[in-house]
Amino acid sequence: MIQTADARPEKVRERTCIGCRKRSSPTDLLRMTVSGGLVLPDPEHRAPGRGAHLHPATGCLDLAERRKAFPRAFKVAGPLDITLVRELVERQQ
């Protein structure tokens, strides 16, 4: 069996929360995708398409909503429905 080395072993994966703009490990953040104007939570980090990350806290969710970060993060025009994400975040707290 052939073992391959990682191309960049020193690189640590980090993502930026669209609410507070702090960098964290992807395991600490909730990944979201968008489909038909609806923001869908992706807790397993498996859904296809462009993703955005958010700390699973109502403070970060409120900041992202106030700053209109969702359309910018997903590169779509117009408002997006975040009710499913809000329900998940509130349930986790």
Side-chain angles (χ1 to χ4, degrees), residues 2 21 47 52 65-66 78:
I2 299 173
R21 306 293 299 154
E65 189 175 19
R66 190 177 72 222

Side-chain angles (χ1 to χ4, degrees), residues 18-20 54 59-70:
I18 64 170
C20 66
L54 180 79
C60 286
L61 180 62
D62 293 338
L63 274 172
E65 189 175 19
R66 190 177 72 222
R67 293 177 179 163
K68 298 179 177 135
F70 287 99

Side-chain angles (χ1 to χ4, degrees), residues 15-58:
R15 301 291 182 261
T16 302
C17 173
I18 64 170
C20 66
R21 306 293 299 154
K22 292 184 180 170
R23 296 182 65 81
S24 295
S25 167
T27 57
D28 297 336
L29 299 168
L30 172 66
R31 182 178 188 267
M32 304 164 291
T33 59
V34 69
S35 177
L38 184 65
V39 179
L40 304 171
D42 179 23
E44 283 107 33
H45 299 259
R46 299 274 183 235
R50 183 171 188 83
H53 295 81
L54 180 79
H55 285 111
T58 54

